[in-house]
Amino acid sequence: MKLIRYGLPGREHTGVQIDGVNYDTSDFGSDYNEQFFEFGGIESLKHYVSTHKLKEIDKQERLGSPVARPSKIVCIGLNYADHARETGAALPSEPVIFLKSSSSLSGPFDPIVIPKNSVKTDWEVELAVVIGKKASYVDEADAKDYIAGYVLHNDVSEREFQLERNGTWDKGKGCDTFAPLGPFLATPDEIGDIDNLRIWLSVNDKIMQDGTTANLIFKIPYLIHYASQFMTLLPGDVISTGTPAGVGLGFKPPVYLKPGDVVTLGIDGLGQSEQKLVAYSK
């Protein structure tokens, strides 16, 4: 099943995508939030969809994040060897973890706002995993039981804030609009081999990233196991698994985003999204 949320920011309705067509499920009665995932919402939604006549959603409707604001967005850094090399970093012996603020969440076609005083806003296409049930000290062998689904994520980053401002990476990762998610959440049965998906991103129609999830250093079950040793993952939480080579920071000289640029990204089976860059204004 493919879950969507649509409508005005902060006032989204729920829906599903079937054979490329979006349908409303507002009468189902639950947003796609922590409680939905915790109490078997996906199975209940499947039953609802199979027993009700659904209304098609107007194609002009805005799509929001397919997950209502999670308690946290956990990100894995340097999880593709080619990306680690392009940034001049050593390959990690353990996963690098940082957090994006939940307020950075935005829809898959919403504009990306370049933050005030930013000169190094960058792109990162990533495969993200949505947690389906409370996870603490999870064994790697059991990790797949905790997956609600997968979603496309642009881990937008401000490199000066991230790397030059005397603090953690979080400074450059959690700005407003820096986590476009979607267009939909796909349950695991919708995806083939999760470890062999093409993952790509273009800027102004020029391909910048073109990789495969086969090159993840730390695979998804291990990431869930590892992260759960340090924090309790709650239903609806997002783990973003890292980006392949081709980010702006890796070019010589570096290339960063400016107002008017258009970023398009996609992953096999998870659709594609597009964001236009706009300047910050009050």
Side-chain angles (χ1 to χ4, degrees):
M1 193 158 56
K2 296 177 180 177
L3 281 60
I4 64 165
R5 295 171 69 252
Y6 74 97
L8 295 174
R11 297 169 59 186
E12 288 90 352
H13 305 282
T14 61
V16 293
Q17 185 179 109
I18 302 171
D19 297 329
V21 179
N22 294 336
Y23 295 93
D24 177 73
T25 62
S26 297
D27 289 342
F28 174 70
S30 173
D31 201 354
Y32 301 153
N33 55 22
E34 181 179 336
Q35 290 72 32
F36 169 82
F37 292 107
E38 182 175 9
F39 295 110
I42 289 179
E43 289 304 314
S44 297
L45 182 63
K46 285 181 180 178
H47 177 74
Y48 175 88
V49 168
S50 67
T51 57
H52 288 73
K53 183 175 177 58
L54 304 179
K55 178 183 176 182
E56 188 173 337
I57 298 168
D58 190 309
K59 293 180 181 179
Q60 301 304 313
E61 287 280 3
R62 168 191 173 267
L63 289 180
S65 163
V67 180
R69 184 179 293 183
S71 78
K72 50 192 169 292
I73 303 170
V74 181
C75 296
I76 309 300
L78 307 175
N79 201 24
Y80 287 77
D82 55 0
H83 174 56
R85 284 194 296 269
E86 73 174 347
T87 63
L91 292 183
S93 58
E94 296 183 42
V96 175
I97 290 179
F98 61 91
L99 299 177
K100 290 179 85 81
S101 60
S102 60
S103 57
S104 67
L105 198 68
S106 63
F109 301 99
D110 291 346
I112 294 170
V113 178
I114 297 175
K116 186 177 181 180
N117 301 319
S118 166
V119 294
K120 296 182 179 180
T121 294
D122 202 351
W123 59 84
E124 294 190 13
V125 58
E126 305 204 1
L127 168 66
V129 183
V130 178
I131 298 299
K133 59 183 180 180
K134 188 175 180 180
S136 180
Y137 299 108
V138 173
D139 289 335
E140 185 177 356
D142 298 328
K144 288 185 178 180
D145 296 337
Y146 291 80
I147 296 174
Y150 303 99
V151 65
L152 173 65
H153 176 222
N154 188 356
D155 175 21
V156 187
S157 309
E158 211 300 340
R159 300 304 187 185
E160 182 183 16
F161 298 177
Q162 176 190 355
L163 301 172
E164 302 172 33
R165 295 294 296 274
N166 296 327
T168 65
W169 284 12
D170 303 47
K171 283 184 180 180
K173 296 287 190 171
C175 304
D176 290 352
T177 74
F178 268 28
L181 209 65
F184 53 77
L185 179 154
T187 52
D189 57 292
E190 293 278 354
I191 305 298
D193 182 2
I194 198 67
D195 293 321
N196 192 27
L197 303 179
R198 183 184 177 223
I199 177 171
W200 61 272
L201 180 145
S202 69
V203 178
N204 301 328
D205 295 323
K206 179 180 179 181
I207 289 289
M208 309 300 262
Q209 295 183 271
D210 195 355
T212 169
T213 58
N215 292 334
L216 283 168
I217 297 171
F218 302 107
K219 303 297 185 183
I220 290 167
Y222 184 76
L223 294 176
I224 294 171
H225 154 75
Y226 186 85
S228 75
Q229 308 304 302
F230 303 99
M231 66 191 81
T232 296
L233 302 171
L234 298 178
D237 278 358
V238 175
I239 299 179
S240 198
T241 61
T243 197
V247 301
L249 175 66
F251 286 85
K252 300 188 186 319
V255 177
Y256 295 115
L257 295 165
K258 60 187 183 302
D261 285 345
V262 176
V263 178
T264 309
L265 55 150
I267 300 176
D268 288 348
L270 292 174
Q272 69 178 52
S273 66
E274 183 174 285
Q275 300 97 42
K276 184 175 182 178
L277 277 291
V278 299
Y280 171 84
S281 63
K282 275 192 172 183

